[in-house]
Amino acid sequence: MASERRAQFQSHCAEQFSQLMLHEHFDQASAALAKQHVDLLVLDLSGYRDSVDLAAAAALIRHRGGAPVLVLCPYVHTSWLPELMAWGPLQYRVSPILSDELQQAVEQMMTRPVDAVAAAQQQLLDKETELRDLLTIQRSLQRALSSVDDLTAMATQVCKALCSFPGVRHTALLHMKERGDLQLVAQESRNHLDLARLLQRRDRLLQSALHEVFPPLLAVSEGELVLLDAPEKAGEPELALALHDRDVRMVLALPLRSEAGGPVLGSISMMFDRHIAFSREQFACFASLAQFVSFGIGMSELKHQNDALAGQLTQMSTVDALTGVANRREGEKMLDSEIRRARRYGLSLALITFDIDNFRSVNDLYGYPIGDRALRTVAETVQGKLRASDTLARMRGEEFMVLATHTCAIDALKLAEKLRLTIADTDLPGCNTVTISLAVAQVGPEEDGVGVLGRLDAALHRAKRSGRNCVELAMP
């Protein structure tokens, strides 16, 4: 113990012990415990940080064999508490701690109950209530995790579920995005506290001035549980006042990671309106709930990635990579679909096919990069003249097809002529003026896609034989 606290401790507690022993090191305390009986073991973990110290403290608790142990743990290292509880029963206080609070804790532990049987029965009832509360929040959280399709919706339901735990007044879920951008995804408030206003931001939270003291931010940066049992212990008066104004007396923050030692995905924040001394079972339940949420976040992100990949695959299978319009497979699929729809509702449907005149000469004279640019420019120019309901598809090489819904042959001829003139007036960087030849057909009442495409192909050949840069109507 530090010298000042040791003096306070000796002053307040000497009358409570059969013998009072104060030691600076774990090995000294262990040797002393082996020699004589001690009523109460107090472990002050201030200044201890590494796993060696944790193991030494755990050994002392194990050797107590259930005898009273009080652990004083700094709030930035409260992740040690659940681990120490695995080695034996203990009570704890989060430090820094006032001398009066320390004296009260010692007196409570040294006072034996008047009716031991009644006290034991009350402990059983309290434990039953505790387990019932844990089971309720666990079921609520499992229902909340069913919304993995939408991360924000799932986070909102998680926060609502956590607010059902006794004493919780505010919950929040923070998620680590790309490049270390910690964001506030959702929060549920029963005390009108707005975490975004408190931190003065919703994203890049680790750049907040409170990132070294506020438990939800510490849980992310340190990757460990953080328990602050009194806002003033954070050492930030403005933060303490803001939390006290919203009836917050304790904050528990849990890191989110899908596996032990894995990357931190964010954190869960739970703010309480009272002080609660958590048991080993409660700490274990909270850790389990945090892992469930981590799995939910992982599943949500995985689904988002799968949807993005599915979208890319769909685009690759339906879109021509060079021009960005529908490819031949998608064009033929759309043609069959529109023919069925036109036949079902008695609608008119027209098709226009066209290809670039003398396109091989463009490639031979100017090179394939210029030819590719010409294809893209023609496609973009034609697409700009079509209606939203029309479809442009690249059928092969330099040949394209336009599906013009609700259009008769006469209107399709007008559209084709407009497209011909537009392309002839379009400047193509790197080569001379490019022209197109076009064929127009209206789909017959009993005609299928193969039939109408055959008529269009014959009409397109006639347009080329007629000198190119013209429009031919494909007669029935």
Side-chain angles (χ1 to χ4, degrees), residues 409-429:
I410 298 301
D411 292 334
L413 279 170
K414 294 177 182 179
L415 174 59
E417 183 61 21
K418 182 171 68 172
L419 296 177
R420 184 190 69 80
L421 292 173
T422 301
I423 295 300
D425 292 338
T426 300
D427 291 329
L428 298 175

Side-chain angles (χ1 to χ4, degrees), residues 246 382 434:
R246 298 302 180 187
V382 170
V434 169

